[in-house]
Structures are given as structure tokens and as C-alpha cells.
Amino acid sequence: MLAKALSSALLGIDAVIVDVEVDIAQGLPQFATVGLPDGAVKESKDRVKSALKNSGYDFPPRKITVNLAPADLKKEGASFDLPISIGILAAIGVVKGERLKEYLLLGELSLDGSVKPVRGCLPVAVAARDAGLRGIVVPLENAPEGAVVEGIEVIGVSELAEVVEFLNGDRAIEPFRVNVEEFFARSAEVGDDFSEVKGQEHAKRALEVAAAGSHNIIMIGPPGSGKTMLSRRIPTILPRMSFEEAIETTKVYSVMGLLDRENALVAQRPFRSPHHTISDAGLIGGGNTPRPGEVSMANHGVLFLDELPEFKKHVLEVLRQPLEDGRVSISRALMSLTYPSRFMLVAAMNPCPCGFLGDANHSCSCTPVMIHRYRSRISGPLLDRIDLHIEVPAVKYRDLADRADSESSAAIAARVETCRNLQLERFKGTKVHCNAQMPPRMIKKFCEPDAAGHRLLEMVTDRLGLSARSYTRILKVARTIADLEASENIREQHLAEAIQYRSLDRKTS
């Protein structure tokens, strides 16, 4: 007796369709699972046996062989419990085979036959839709995230008996529905707002430029000057996520098992702020069983690194590839995975170990050697990949005492949205979506300054000894400043402002 059910395995943030083949033959009672299963999959035989018996079905006392194909793909987790149990019931004739070809099954079984939630339902729904299947049968808790994908039925179940009755046509279960617009409307509700920030107009302008072009930025200032407060408000001025961006980001959270029924779609740009004790695997992903890191969880959002020099140097250096390529590649003996990591890096640091270098109200106790050692924790190649370096001085009393509200996040976000739409129109038909992503050929095409700008750039490049990467960063930022003014050409004043945002280059020259 042979039967086949459909399931899925995760490969990075994508899913691969897996055929669950069950063969029941004469012989001594035995249960063997083949097809490169991990420990959790091998243990499924005990969960399946108890779940079937406690749900009122007979477990055949014969030789049972379960094959998970393709056999060269490692199978992980308990999500194969449900398809294996349904495969066994189909092999003994309890479940009819017609609907098994149309629906993909996913779920962990409790010993009493209830179906428990699993990770990665969203990428599984996408894979099933792309494969032309009619729908997926998943745990009820996972149904909302699967229902985000249009063009496929998502059947939420809570018990094994429900699945059997549904596949046999004895029970009608309505496909789960969600309102995607509701998720986006909920994400538009603003919590923190730039109107609450007193003073720091120069820093706010720099953050607006950074948000408008998705540029990386670092803020240097004494403790209490508002660096963290400013950073946490950046998501409120970023443009709304597109549906494609939301799906890609939600896939990361889905495979991590971090979604719930109320937040089945990550429709608000994520803000991740890892502690400086984080490991390199925690930051970019990895481990024995590779999982996404903080850079992937910040995909299409903000990665905030507070107290940047306090991070281990080798941890900071692994940021180079995701900053440059927008993705992370993790290679292991059995597999090579790629996770998305197109994020906006926002970093903050003190000007010196004590934090009060250049502060008029506090004296600095650091020696030049201490200051140099502190700043050298951030390598030149990493600084080159940060577009804007700005100083955030301590806030003066008159700014703190000012009762007038500053400009709101909504007003800034409107200008940023207009600027991003201009860039989307410019880069239509390409994989580039904003100025920060421009490759050299596009920089040459869209970032040509006028004659006065060329003279200014030549003087500044020679005087500061800028690297080629710093030079191109200045051009990209100048392009964004020109876009904010709806200027087709990059003028001298745009370049002058962009050059102002390279304060660390000036200090290290």
C-alpha cells in the first residue's frame, strides 16, 4: 500500500515542495523515515503513532517506510507530523486520495491529535501558489500569515480529525481571509514623532536626507544629546512599505517563528537595535542550523547600532557584505543560504571614551592616544560605507525650554515620499529603488555635477584625501539633496551640503 502527500521544507526564507511518500508493507512492525531527516523529523514516528490512536484511528502494526523527497535536501522541524500521519491514513484507505494532490499539508501534532503551529507558513503559501496547488492545510494559528498570499486557499485546522474529514469531503472549512489593507493602516499609526525632539535642526535635516535616499548615517555626540531619540523616530519618516517589501520581510520573521495572529504581515518598516555584546552570527545570521540575523530582520527597515565602537571589531567587519550587496550568503557543508539584508544603517557613538570631547559644558578627560584608539575600533572601510557623518551637540537650554512643537514626522515623511517616488520613476525597469543603491554606471549617468561642483569636489577630495568610495557617497547624497529640491541637476550648494556630512573624514585627514 503506497500513498503520497505534499508538504514543504524551508531553504533560507523560501520553501521547497516535498513529496511525503508512505509505503506500508508486510513484515515486523517498524517505522523508518528516510530523505535526510533531522532529529525532530525522526522523532515524529512517536508523535504520529500516539496522535493517530488518540484520534480514534488504527495504527497499522506493519513495516512503514516514509520517504521525504527530494532526498538530498535536509528536512528539519516537526512540521512533517501532519503530512506523515495523513499519508499513513491514505495508505490504509481511511483518507481518499483526490484532494491530497491539491493541498499541501503542514503542522506539528500533539499526542492527543491536536495540530500545533509551526514556522515558515508564509513562504510555504507562496511556494504552493507558485506550484499551482489549490491550497494549503495549516494549523489555525498559522492561517493568518498564509492568508496574506492571494490566489490560494488557506485552510486552518486545530485537530487531526478535522483534516481527515476535510480531505474526504465530509466537512466544509472556509478558507481563511485577512484584510491586507488593515495591516498597512495599522502600521501608519505613529507612536514617536519628530515634533517631540527639541533643537537638533541640523541632525533632523541630515536624517531627512538619509531617509529620502536610504543612506547609511552615523551620529557623533556627547551622552544625552538625543542620538537614540532621533534614531528611534526614523521609521516614522520612511516611505510606506510596498506589498512586495512587506512579503519579503515577513518571510524572515515567519521562518524565525516570530509572527502571531494579530501581526501576520510586517507592514511597518522594522527597527532593530541589537546590544553591543552581539556575536557575528547573531548579527548577520548563521549557526549550526543557519538562521537569519539582525541584518535580515531589519530588511527594508532600520538597523540601529548604538555605541558603535563598543561592538567587537570582527563583528562590525562582517557588516561589509550586507551593506554593499543587500544580502547575506551563509555557506555550510551541506548547503548555502542567502538571506535578504537591504537595510538602512543608523549608528551612534560618542566623540571620545568619556563622551565630552568638544562639549562646552564638560571637560574631556581623554588623551589623544585614548581618542585615537577609541575611534580606530571603526575601520576605514566600514566608515567608507556610511554616507553621512553628522555631529549631534548637546541641546541648549533655550531649545529645551521652547514650548513650540517642532516639525512633525508626517510633514517630513511627505517630502521623503515625494523624493522616493522621483527616484522610483528614475530607476523604473531596474533593480535599483533609491539613490543609495546606484551602481557606478548610474552614478555616472545621474550624478554629474556642474562646472563649479567639479571644482569644489576636486579641492575637497585632494584636501581630505577621500577614497573613491567616499567620493561616490558624496555624489549619491548630493543627488538626494537635489531630489528633495526637485532639481534635475546637481548644483554646487547640493555638493557643499553633502560634503558637510563627512565630519569623520575631516577629523581623520
Side-chain angles (χ1 to χ4, degrees):
M1 296 177 285
L2 179 67
K4 186 173 79 170
L6 296 176
S7 190
S8 180
L10 294 175
L11 188 63
I13 64 166
D14 296 314
V16 178
I17 304 295
V18 172
D19 293 332
V20 180
E21 301 170 337
V22 178
D23 178 66
I24 300 179
Q26 296 290 344
L28 292 175
Q30 182 184 357
F31 196 122
T33 304
V34 297
L36 214 58
D38 73 345
V41 180
K42 289 178 181 178
E43 291 172 353
S44 67
K45 62 181 180 182
D46 299 312
R47 292 190 296 271
V48 167
K49 185 175 182 178
S50 297
L52 288 174
K53 287 185 175 181
N54 292 324
S55 298
Y57 303 106
D58 292 329
F59 186 83
R62 299 179 183 177
K63 182 180 179 181
I64 301 174
T65 304
V66 177
N67 179 42
L68 306 176
D72 60 344
L73 176 66
K74 189 173 179 61
K75 320 300 187 306
E76 300 171 344
S79 60
F80 292 98
D81 290 0
L82 183 60
I84 289 174
S85 61
I86 294 298
I88 292 173
L89 292 176
I92 62 177
V94 174
V95 174
K96 300 173 185 176
E98 289 79 7
R99 283 193 171 183
L100 279 179
K101 302 175 183 178
E102 301 175 336
Y103 288 88
L104 186 148
L105 308 173
L106 203 71
E108 177 183 347
L109 290 178
S110 290
L111 299 185
D112 62 357
S114 58
V115 184
K116 301 173 70 174
V118 294
R119 297 184 292 112
C121 183
L122 177 63
V124 168
V126 174
R129 181 198 61 189
D130 294 344
L133 298 179
R134 181 176 174 182
I136 60 174
V137 179
V138 296
L140 193 58
E141 289 84 350
N142 293 125
E145 63 176 284
V148 168
V149 181
E150 295 181 351
I152 192 168
E153 294 180 8
V154 178
I155 308 298
V157 295
S158 55
E159 293 181 351
L160 176 60
E162 284 183 61
V163 184
V164 175
E165 292 172 4
F166 171 75
L167 292 175
N168 285 337
D170 299 331
R171 175 186 291 213
I173 302 178
E174 282 295 314
F176 204 91
R177 298 275 187 269
V178 296
N179 186 353
V180 174
E181 287 302 319
E182 185 180 325
F183 292 118
F184 284 100
R186 197 185 307 161
S187 72
E189 298 174 3
V190 177
D192 297 328
D193 198 280
F194 268 96
S195 62
E196 302 160 351
V197 181
K198 302 295 184 181
Q200 305 295 11
E201 298 305 321
H202 174 68
K204 291 178 189 174
R205 166 64 177 177
L207 290 176
E208 179 181 341
V209 172
S214 191
H215 299 289
N216 303 319
I217 185 170
I218 183 170
M219 293 179 281
I220 308 101
S225 58
K227 302 185 294 295
T228 303
M229 186 180 188
L230 286 164
S231 300
R232 293 193 178 278
R233 283 156 177 75
I234 292 175
T236 65
I237 64 172
L238 292 174
R240 289 183 63 184
M241 294 182 82
S242 66
F243 182 70
E244 291 75 18
E245 289 176 333
I247 286 291
E248 185 179 61
T249 303
T250 307
K251 278 184 176 182
V252 177
Y253 284 77
S254 179
V255 300
M256 294 285 286
L258 298 178
L259 293 178
D260 53 44
R261 298 189 68 171
E262 287 71 31
N263 299 297
L265 182 70
V266 180
Q268 184 175 18
R269 295 193 181 273
F271 180 91
R272 303 294 301 181
S273 179
H275 193 260
H276 61 258
T277 56
I278 192 171
S279 67
D280 51 357
L283 188 61
I284 68 162
N288 292 331
T289 302
R291 300 188 72 185
E294 289 289 338
V295 297
S296 297
M297 297 179 71
N299 189 46
H300 296 304
V302 174
L303 177 67
F304 176 51
L305 302 183
D306 200 5
E307 304 296 342
L308 187 66
E310 300 301 330
F311 285 79
K312 299 181 183 69
K313 191 164 185 176
H314 73 276
V315 172
L316 291 179
E317 292 308 303
V318 299
L319 280 173
R320 292 193 200 177
Q321 185 208 0
L323 282 174
E324 202 71 26
D325 301 337
R327 63 182 184 274
V328 173
S329 297
I330 300 172
S331 297
R332 294 293 182 268
L334 295 176
M335 68 183 77
S336 180
L337 302 177
T338 299
Y339 295 116
S341 61
R342 198 168 290 285
F343 58 90
M344 175 179 164
L345 175 65
V346 179
M349 63 177 285
N350 295 329
C352 64
C354 77
F356 297 113
L357 179 66
D359 191 341
N361 301 319
H362 300 84
S363 59
C364 175
S365 60
C366 303
T367 64
V369 174
M370 292 169 62
I371 296 171
H372 175 74
R373 187 183 301 123
Y374 177 75
R375 294 192 175 185
S376 64
R377 295 178 188 174
I378 309 170
S379 68
L382 181 60
L383 275 180
D384 273 352
R385 288 168 169 81
I386 300 178
D387 304 351
L388 292 87
H389 314 157
I390 61 166
E391 296 182 3
V392 184
V395 184
K396 294 182 171 59
Y397 173 76
R398 65 173 178 268
D399 292 326
L400 290 172
D402 187 5
R403 296 301 176 191
D405 282 342
S406 302
E407 190 174 27
S408 68
S409 290
I412 301 172
R415 294 195 296 270
V416 170
E417 188 87 39
T418 302
C419 185
R420 284 288 187 97
N421 289 336
L422 190 68
Q423 295 167 46
L424 288 173
E425 186 65 28
R426 176 185 298 137
F427 304 128
K428 184 183 291 185
T430 70
K431 294 183 179 180
V432 176
H433 301 98
C434 56
N435 288 337
Q437 300 172 7
M438 282 191 290
R441 58 183 177 81
M442 286 189 178
I443 295 174
K444 186 176 181 181
K445 181 178 180 181
F446 298 116
C447 301
E448 187 65 25
D450 55 17
H454 271 297
R455 289 193 296 271
L456 176 63
L457 272 175
E458 182 181 6
M459 178 184 69
V460 170
T461 302
D462 292 342
R463 180 174 297 177
L464 298 183
L466 298 179
S467 68
R469 187 177 280 117
S470 297
Y471 169 78
T472 58
R473 302 279 170 181
I474 290 174
L475 287 177
K476 289 180 182 180
V477 173
R479 178 68 269 169
T480 300
I481 295 169
D483 289 343
L484 282 168
E485 296 182 3
S487 172
E488 186 175 345
N489 299 317
I490 297 177
R491 299 191 175 91
E492 186 178 9
Q493 65 266 28
H494 303 143
L495 284 165
E497 183 179 352
I499 292 166
Q500 285 182 1
Y501 299 138
R502 303 294 300 184
S503 64
L504 290 178
D505 287 336
R506 295 198 300 271
K507 292 190 175 182
T508 56
S509 60

